[in-house]
Amino acid sequence: MKLTQRPYFIPAAALGAAAAAFLAGVIIVVTGSSGTTEATVASVTSDADIIVADVEPAPVPVAPVIEPLDSVADYTPEALETGDAAPDAVTPDTATPSRAPFAFDQVINKAQALSEHAFQESRPVPAAAAAFDYDQYRRLEFKRESAEWTDDTSIPFRVHYDPRGYLFNEEVKLNIIDKGVSTPKAWAEADFNFFDLPLSEDDKKALGYAGFHVTAPLNSSGKFDDLISFKGASFFRVLSAGTVYGASARGMAISTASPAGEEFPSFREFWLVKPEPGAKSMTVYALLNGISTTGAFQFVITPGSTTNVDVEAVFFPRRKLTEVGVAPITSMYYFSPHSLNRGNRDYRVAVHDSEGLMMELHNGEWVWRPLANPNQLEISSFATQPPLGFGLVQRKRDFEAYDDLEANYELRPNVWIAPKDGWGPGNLTLVEIPTTNEYNDNIVVSWRPADAWEAGKPVRLSYEMIWSLPQPVVAPVAKVTATKVGISPATKRPMFIIDFDSDNSELLRDALPQVSTSAGTIIAPVVQPNPKTGGVRLSFELDTKDAGLCELRALLTKADHSVSETWLYRWRS
């Protein structure tokens, strides 16, 4: 099993290491047309602006001498609405259920109360568990018969719990909500097989939970398959019918690819609502806690041929935040036929969890941006108004496109974000980090609000997530099905091949190309039918005129109307 297939793979560790390696001593700048770009260049579509926010370092937290704040008591829903200050008293959770009927407002008010105190770390994991290597951690086995709701066959969901250890040292508190009553889920070492792992009895009692994953009948009746996994910082992964673990999502991102270093707030407490018999959805609430912010989340998870996750979130910044990533998606891109640096001697055709960034912009334009594994960290920005949708997509679904019997890259899920309420102006931002292997997630896409989030001021927003094997949305225009990049043997210039396809054969008949570049000259753009696909192929060469960077843009038109996605590509010498 490859590391990127594992539900508990932690992109945070890889991204943090990559950011540290490539950002040390680097200032991210974008200059005007007469200047040069030092560390990154922002690519924009026709309606986009570039915003590079100043980095404001986080203050050094000072922990007060009080009970751990993750155990702050539930408060009445009126606290957030009336602006009343949180009570001074902080009391730990008890083993008795909460008397008040549980609602999302209780998580919101808990996040607000928590934000009024300095951040505190989780209690330490036993040293023996923290020292586990990957293979040892995998042997720490949760007993299948101990899964939540196993004894109730009318409930189509099960919950399996994950212990701390290895890379997963933060403790996560869990609660079960049954008929509106919330009951803490106590750590039970009897639910795990420890085999001959080097843990003392005291270690086993002190281990605690690191997260959980939910199973449901996804692919066949009566068989419970992985549906969603919450584990590590605010990361979670979702599956739909026919998919294997690939891209992941996060509750939020802070200062991704920033010289100040990225911050990873964590989900520190969850409330799992027991579904009714035969329920189609399951609801999970989560409390986020980090150095710079707290937050409350509601996830409504509906599995199927596509798995939909409706997300509502409320954030309470502890400080002014200028580099926030909303609805971040994280993935891995190593190489494919459109890569410029394919000299890795790999026998496979392509290796990636996601092939490209797909967008439906506010102005109605559909955009396809193939992902890249650059030689240096790259940041690209698109649009200034929230898009109607965006996501990381794996378009090629044939085994031959990857030729990997173990990784099953053709089964990695697409992830699509459809913004709802609370999204203001900003930039859709793509971060691409160099990687020398397929084990580190090196792609991050998120919406970065233009306005800073002020300390103490709540921020509410919502969105829908679609996880799927087929393309999550169908554009009314022809889509890009392949991008290939090489060198013309005759002219030695960069050469580009782009295949477009549509179910409507008339859409592409007599279509004309529009190809442009930010530097250099486009040479001989030609559109011709592709009898193998039923679509058309656009080919052209690029005379760089010694430019080190060229932002390319291409689409097909009829009567001045686009009939294809807008293809974007960044070429570097």
Side-chain angles (χ1 to χ4, degrees):
M1 178 179 289
K2 289 191 179 295
L3 188 60
T4 48
Q5 283 184 276
R6 300 165 187 160
Y8 42 81
F9 173 56
I10 234 322
L15 285 173
F22 287 98
L23 288 173
V26 176
I27 299 176
I28 306 299
V29 296
V30 177
T31 67
S33 59
S34 61
T36 59
T37 302
E38 298 237 350
T40 180
V41 177
S43 165
V44 292
T45 64
S46 56
D47 66 344
D49 294 323
I50 301 171
I51 297 178
V52 180
D54 293 330
V55 176
E56 181 174 325
V60 177
V62 179
V65 184
I66 55 176
E67 293 294 327
L69 288 173
D70 278 344
S71 63
V72 71
D74 290 329
Y75 295 106
T76 59
E78 290 75 22
L80 178 62
E81 298 171 0
T82 61
D84 294 338
D88 291 331
V90 179
T91 58
D93 283 335
T94 66
T96 58
S98 169
R99 294 182 180 179
F102 195 89
F104 185 34
D105 282 336
Q106 289 178 270
V107 186
I108 295 173
N109 292 322
K110 191 167 186 176
Q112 182 186 34
L114 199 60
S115 72
E116 295 169 358
H117 301 272
F119 172 76
Q120 287 184 326
E121 297 285 351
S122 166
R123 73 183 179 98
V125 67
F132 282 168
D133 60 23
Y134 167 71
D135 290 325
Q136 287 177 307
Y137 183 74
R138 284 190 67 190
R139 295 189 63 220
L140 214 170
E141 179 184 77
F142 180 71
K143 298 176 181 177
R144 184 174 294 273
E145 64 271 19
S146 298
E148 205 71 48
W149 310 314
T150 297
D151 57 350
D152 191 340
T153 57
S154 68
I155 296 177
F157 297 92
R158 302 285 183 266
V159 181
H160 302 249
Y161 300 107
D162 299 318
R164 293 196 293 170
Y166 181 43
L167 300 177
F168 309 100
N169 295 329
E170 289 187 294
E171 185 174 29
V172 169
K173 294 190 176 183
L174 300 169
N175 307 273
I176 304 297
I177 301 173
D178 188 0
K179 296 181 174 57
V181 177
S182 175
T183 303
K185 173 72 177 179
W187 165 253
E189 63 269 24
D191 291 341
F192 294 83
N193 287 319
F194 297 95
F195 301 105
D196 58 350
L197 291 170
L199 293 173
S200 69
E201 291 304 313
D202 287 341
D203 289 339
K204 296 174 185 178
K205 288 182 172 58
L207 207 54
Y209 298 113
F212 64 94
H213 61 278
V214 178
T215 61
L218 267 183
N219 299 297
S220 60
S221 298
K223 180 181 180 297
F224 283 77
D225 303 298
D226 276 15
L227 171 63
I228 187 168
S229 172
F230 288 92
K231 191 172 183 182
S234 67
F235 286 90
F236 58 98
R237 291 186 170 190
V238 183
L239 294 176
S240 64
T243 61
V244 299
Y245 281 115
S248 60
R250 280 191 263 175
M252 72 178 305
I254 299 177
S255 300
T256 302
S258 165
E262 186 163 6
E263 181 182 329
F264 295 94
S266 301
F267 289 136
R268 298 283 283 271
E269 188 167 5
F270 291 93
W271 293 259
L272 292 76
V273 180
K274 182 179 180 179
E276 296 294 328
K280 302 298 184 183
S281 301
M282 178 178 167
T283 299
V284 172
Y285 302 107
L287 176 69
L288 184 81
N289 194 10
I291 295 173
S292 299
T293 189
T294 66
F297 283 76
Q298 176 182 271
F299 301 95
V300 180
I301 307 145
T302 307
S305 56
T306 65
T307 294
N308 288 36
V309 182
D310 282 310
V311 183
E312 293 187 30
V314 185
F315 300 93
F316 296 92
R318 284 188 167 104
R319 66 174 179 90
K320 184 177 181 179
L321 295 176
T322 57
E323 291 187 314
V324 174
V326 170
I329 315 170
T330 301
S331 193
M332 181 275 295
Y333 176 87
Y334 186 22
F335 68 87
S336 76
H338 71 247
S339 301
L340 291 176
N341 52 347
R342 294 199 304 272
N344 49 37
R345 299 181 180 273
D346 199 300
Y347 75 91
R348 294 167 293 181
V349 181
V351 174
H352 48 69
D353 287 339
S354 303
E355 180 182 359
L357 170 61
M358 181 179 174
M359 300 166 263
E360 182 185 6
L361 299 184
H362 186 75
N363 64 358
E365 184 178 12
W366 291 84
V367 178
W368 177 254
R369 165 59 154 78
L371 297 176
N373 178 11
N375 293 323
Q376 62 189 59
L377 185 143
E378 303 271 2
I379 302 176
S380 304
S381 296
F382 314 87
T384 56
Q385 293 299 316
L388 300 179
F390 67 93
L392 295 177
V393 174
Q394 188 83 315
R395 281 190 169 165
K396 293 182 178 62
R397 292 303 184 184
D398 297 327
F399 168 78
E400 291 75 16
Y402 308 95
D403 195 22
D404 192 322
L405 288 171
E406 186 179 4
N408 299 123
Y409 287 115
E410 69 275 11
L411 302 181
R412 303 301 170 105
N414 304 311
V415 189
W416 185 256
I417 306 291
K420 293 183 182 179
D421 298 329
W423 295 52
N427 289 110
L428 183 61
T429 302
L430 171 66
V431 177
E432 296 165 302
I433 301 171
T435 184
T436 58
N437 58 55
E438 62 198 278
Y439 306 119
N440 296 331
D441 278 6
N442 62 320
I443 304 294
V444 185
V445 61
S446 65
W447 180 253
R448 289 192 177 181
D451 297 331
W453 288 9
E454 299 296 336
K457 184 177 180 180
V459 177
R460 288 179 177 265
L461 53 86
S462 60
Y463 51 96
E464 179 186 15
M465 308 184 76
I466 301 173
W467 301 70
S468 65
L469 186 68
Q471 188 160 300
V473 292
V474 179
V477 295
K479 67 179 181 180
V480 177
T481 56
T483 299
K484 299 179 181 180
V485 182
I487 301 296
S488 168
T491 66
K492 308 304 180 185
R493 290 192 288 250
M495 184 175 182
F496 298 84
I497 303 293
I498 310 163
D499 286 333
F500 294 89
D501 196 10
S502 173
D503 293 334
N504 180 1
S505 59
E506 291 299 316
L507 186 65
L508 294 174
R509 189 187 299 276
D510 300 324
L512 299 175
Q514 286 190 6
V515 188
S516 61
T517 178
S518 62
T521 303
I522 301 297
I523 305 295
V526 175
V527 175
Q528 58 183 327
N530 186 338
K532 298 296 184 181
T533 66
V536 300
R537 171 168 288 185
L538 168 63
S539 62
F540 62 89
E541 294 182 13
L542 173 65
D543 183 352
T544 65
K545 298 188 183 298
D546 297 325
L549 172 78
C550 298
E551 298 285 357
L552 304 176
R553 186 174 187 269
L555 70 158
L556 302 178
T557 65
K558 273 186 174 182
D560 296 327
H561 297 292
S562 63
V563 294
S564 74
E565 293 177 319
T566 299
W567 172 88
L568 302 178
Y569 192 91
R570 172 176 292 166
W571 179 89
R572 277 192 182 275
S573 59

